[in-house]
Amino acid sequence: MKNNRHFGAALLLLPALLLMLACEKNGNDDPDAGSGVVSIRFVNRVTSQPLVLDTLQYVTQSGQSYKITDLQYFISKITLYRHDGGVVILSDGDSIRYVDARLPETQAWDSAAVIEAGEYDSVAFIFGLDESQNISYRFPNPPERDMFWPEVLGGGYHHMKLNSMWKSCCTNLESPFMMHLGTGQIYSGQTHSTDSIIGFVPNWFRVSLPASSFTLQRDSVITLRLMMNIEYWFNGPPNILDLSSLPQGIMQNQELMAKVRDNGKNAFSMSHE
């Protein structure tokens, strides 16, 4: 009789034991169980090679040799899309990242987020700052502070400063080209007088990288490499910039800013490690 009581108690405990074993197995094998860490590296390159500043070694499709002297930009709301339909916006309290080619510490976001492990199908982000974020005086300190966009031209901040020097094949004279992308202006007349501004164009844009799928395992770290391919800003598609026919800057020329903006939509790619 005593043995029968022990046998009955064992039968009662068996379902709980099986459940515990099943949970342990799922926890070990299922990448959707638990969480992992995502880190971001911002990589600036030209024709698949790391950007080298201050060296006249690049050539546009229009035949001008050029060098990059400064590259600074904002990327915000980096968004991961899960295979099951979930959406995650990376943030450490702020979804805005400032990237500066001269400041290595701005090119790494070591703990972008601790997120649910699993399958992720694509990555998207905003290049620059959208209207909800592009607020004047939000950055009190440099270097972000120095990205300000003049109030009279729409306020807020530059989405990007890409400064370069170029020369044609027929002269040794170097000329500046300042590719400053920010809020554009609509003017009522032919002149670009600030008194004739009747509207503004935000000029930030969204980039979607659907081919950037990855799996985040439980308790692991994955590094996403977000690459800006700088030659696209000059060579398109869709617009090829002939620097010899352009002014030295584009800040008050919405037509040129629109061409640069449209080129930038194709300037990014991503890998992971």
Side-chain angles (χ1 to χ4, degrees), residues 152-154 185-188 192-200 252:
V152 71
L153 298 182
Q185 310 84 40
I186 301 173
Y187 296 88
S188 61
H192 286 180
S193 166
T194 56
D195 293 333
S196 63
I197 294 175
I198 58 174
F200 297 101
Q252 287 185 258

Side-chain angles (χ1 to χ4, degrees), residues 110-238:
D110 287 326
S111 298
V114 176
I115 63 173
E116 186 179 358
E119 301 286 339
Y120 289 83
D121 288 340
S122 62
V123 179
F125 61 88
I126 287 174
F127 186 78
L129 305 172
D130 65 20
E131 290 90 337
S132 69
Q133 297 176 309
N134 200 12
I135 302 169
S136 297
Y137 311 113
R138 72 172 301 159
F139 301 115
N141 301 313
E144 294 92 337
R145 179 196 65 191
D146 299 333
M147 293 286 282
F148 76 93
W149 190 262
E151 284 294 313
V152 71
L153 298 182
Y157 294 85
H158 287 72
H159 303 315
M160 178 180 69
K161 292 181 182 179
L162 199 170
N163 294 333
S164 61
M165 300 290 293
W166 66 275
K167 68 177 184 179
S168 69
C169 60
C170 306
T171 177
N172 287 323
L173 179 65
E174 293 187 6
S175 301
F177 182 63
M178 294 171 288
M179 192 184 291
H180 290 194
L181 184 63
T183 300
Q185 310 84 40
I186 301 173
Y187 296 88
S188 61
Q190 296 301 313
T191 63
H192 286 180
S193 166
T194 56
D195 293 333
S196 63
I197 294 175
I198 58 174
F200 297 101
V201 183
N203 283 325
W204 61 268
F205 57 88
R206 181 177 174 83
V207 176
S208 181
L209 301 171
S212 53
S213 60
F214 64 92
T215 300
L216 180 63
Q217 300 288 342
R218 185 184 67 172
D219 299 329
S220 68
V221 178
I222 192 167
T223 299
L224 304 180
R225 290 165 47 87
L226 178 56
M227 293 169 285
M228 178 194 282
N229 304 291
I230 295 169
E231 70 273 14
Y232 282 75
W233 293 101
F234 294 91
N235 299 332

Side-chain angles (χ1 to χ4, degrees), residues 37-43 73 75-80 88-92 95 97-99 104-113 115 123-125 209 212 214 221-228 269-273:
V37 175
V38 173
S39 295
I40 305 289
R41 294 293 180 271
F42 300 98
V43 181
Y73 54 94
I75 284 181
S76 58
K77 297 184 179 179
I78 299 175
T79 305
L80 311 181
V88 179
I89 297 178
L90 302 186
S91 175
D92 55 4
S95 69
R97 307 307 299 180
Y98 168 76
V99 184
E105 64 270 23
T106 68
Q107 298 165 34
W109 191 4
D110 287 326
S111 298
I115 63 173
V123 179
F125 61 88
L209 301 171
S212 53
F214 64 92
V221 178
I222 192 167
T223 299
L224 304 180
R225 290 165 47 87
L226 178 56
M227 293 169 285
M228 178 194 282
S269 56
M270 181 170 281
S271 65
H272 58 82
E273 56 191 37

Side-chain angles (χ1 to χ4, degrees), residues 57-98:
Q57 64 177 13
Y58 306 121
V59 182
T60 69
Q61 285 195 23
S62 296
Q64 295 92 27
S65 298
Y66 71 97
K67 61 183 176 184
I68 304 299
T69 57
D70 292 288
L71 175 59
Q72 303 144 347
Y73 54 94
F74 286 111
I75 284 181
S76 58
K77 297 184 179 179
I78 299 175
T79 305
L80 311 181
Y81 293 89
R82 287 178 56 88
H83 183 68
D84 62 10
V87 178
V88 179
I89 297 178
L90 302 186
S91 175
D92 55 4
D94 191 347
S95 69
I96 298 171
R97 307 307 299 180
Y98 168 76

Side-chain angles (χ1 to χ4, degrees), residues 23-61:
C23 289
E24 182 178 350
K25 182 177 186 301
N26 287 339
N28 288 335
D29 297 339
D30 186 357
D32 288 333
S35 61
V37 175
V38 173
S39 295
I40 305 289
R41 294 293 180 271
F42 300 98
V43 181
N44 304 307
R45 62 183 191 174
V46 184
T47 58
S48 301
Q49 297 300 314
L51 169 66
V52 178
L53 293 169
D54 303 319
T55 303
L56 198 73
Q57 64 177 13
Y58 306 121
V59 182
T60 69
Q61 285 195 23

